[in-house]
Amino acid sequence: MSFLGTRAAVKSYGPTPALRGVTVDVAEGEILAVTGPSGCGKSTLLHCLAGIMPVDAGEVFYRGRRIDTTSEEERARLRRTEFGVLFQFGQLVAELTAAENVALPLLLAGARRRDARTAALAWLDRLGVADLADQRPGTMSGGQQQRCALARALVTEPRVLFADEPTGALDTLAGEQVLGQLVRLAREQRTTVVLVTHDARVAGYADREVTLRDGVVDPTGLGIAAVRR
Amino acid sequence: MSTPHVLLGLLAIGPKHGYDLKRDYDLRLPKAKPLPYGQVYATLGRLERDGLVVRAGQDREAGPDRTSYAITPSGQAALDTWLSAVEPPLPHLNSVLLAKVIITLLVADLSRARDYLSRQRQAHAARLRELTAVKTDPTASVADVIAADYGINHLDADLRWLRTTLDRVVDLHREVTAR
């Protein structure tokens, strides 16, 4: 059993199947890109791996244990302490400053306010946005917001970072800077990364790529059906 | 790549020996094919014949040819013309990849075409990862990043084209088999 993965994971939204028996393995410290055309199930796979969404059938495991059969409390603990998530947009709390946003996961985990702020400022500094600490998201560019969101995803020093189209809303250069930092920090911290993207250039930052097509792993990597239904 | 113009451009920075020109060429166009010495001297010979460069001095030290060359006003004019000329935005219709895909589709069945395209895609994706590593290396120069970007974006275009091609083939196949 690998560090993180699924066995024959199945997930449907009502009558619509999203995952139709997906088996993936992610090694510790690996940066895995999950690619494929829109609607192929890649975001659903990420949500299932991160314990955000339950599977209908099959298994999800993490560090030798099944997490699809554990309690919701246990999954919530994993999401708080072991996993970090970064989405395309809309993640920062608009009413809070950058530093307050980044400190939030630590406060939720019971850290003292002053310690949480110190750690948040250090992470904003590592991402080159220390000068934005007291600004609210509304006054920042998309790239700056995404760096703050990355700081917030990493502030708890998670073992696994789940990133779903993390640069999908950014222009090429801003996206590249965010990705460059994400990969550099992940390698420094030996963080495992699951990176969902439809863009081959983003997948180029990963060690390895798994392509989904119609809710199954496509071994050809081409992401198309042999003969469409 | 227009080697004569690139050499003129490098000489426009200042006079150089053939050896320095080769080194500068390989350094500034890092992902281009290294320039053979023979080609440097043959090109310099032609540029000199055409009055675009002149010999600017000779070192008497032992070792390889140490004649240095300088760009002339006509050379500078030729360089300026080249730099300001818009390149025709031709698609890469002479690409071996395109030829192979078309011939594969003509002579092979769908599963063989898929197999070939799948392996070609893996090779492209592997190269894309290599170039991304070049680009994100903290010691990468601006020239490295720009050259890597050029490669990455062309590979990405090829990959999207491969996928569209296969989609088309599958559609045609379905159309034919449905009759």
Side-chain angles (χ1 to χ4, degrees), chain A residues 85-86 91-92 97-99 101-103 105 120 123-124 127-133 135-137 140-155 178 181:
Chain A
V85 289
L86 184 63
Q91 322 161 66
L92 296 176
T97 65
N101 263 290
V102 177
W123 274 97
L124 287 170
L127 284 154
V129 283
D131 52 327
L132 302 175
Q135 288 193 35
R136 292 199 165 77
M140 300 177 200
S141 71
Q144 290 170 336
Q145 288 186 32
Q146 204 60 340
R147 288 195 210 190
C148 294
L150 180 58
R152 195 177 64 176
L154 293 174
V155 73
V178 170
Q181 286 178 320

Side-chain angles (χ1 to χ4, degrees), chain A residues 62-214:
Chain A
Y62 170 64
R63 296 180 74 200
R65 291 176 53 202
R66 283 184 66 173
I67 58 169
D68 57 297
T69 48
T70 61
S71 64
E72 176 47 34
E73 287 73 26
E74 172 60 9
R75 277 201 295 278
R77 189 195 65 78
L78 281 177
R79 291 197 299 267
R80 222 171 32 239
T81 60
E82 309 253 322
F83 297 167
V85 289
L86 184 63
F87 295 112
Q88 191 168 340
F89 42 52
Q91 322 161 66
L92 296 176
V93 181
E95 292 75 17
L96 300 181
T97 65
E100 289 165 347
N101 263 290
V102 177
L104 201 55
L106 296 173
L107 294 174
L108 291 174
R112 286 188 309 179
R113 189 161 289 272
R114 188 190 296 170
D115 295 342
R117 181 166 169 89
T118 305
L121 291 176
W123 274 97
L124 287 170
D125 190 41
R126 290 182 80 171
L127 284 154
V129 283
D131 52 327
L132 302 175
D134 295 318
Q135 288 193 35
R136 292 199 165 77
T139 64
M140 300 177 200
S141 71
Q144 290 170 336
Q145 288 186 32
Q146 204 60 340
R147 288 195 210 190
C148 294
L150 180 58
R152 195 177 64 176
L154 293 174
V155 73
T156 57
E157 302 190 4
R159 284 174 183 264
V160 187
L161 175 67
F162 295 95
D164 192 353
E165 302 278 10
T167 57
L170 305 181
D171 65 47
T172 308
L173 272 185
E176 206 167 82
Q177 285 163 356
V178 170
L179 271 176
Q181 286 178 320
L182 186 157
V183 168
R184 179 175 57 81
L185 293 170
R187 300 234 189 263
E188 278 173 20
Q189 310 268 123
R190 216 175 133 61
T191 309
T192 305
V193 179
V194 178
L195 174 63
V196 162
T197 180
H198 69 282
D199 187 336
R201 291 168 299 181
V202 173
Y205 284 81
D207 301 317
R208 190 166 62 91
E209 196 176 326
V210 166
T211 304
L212 295 190
R213 174 261 295 171
D214 289 345

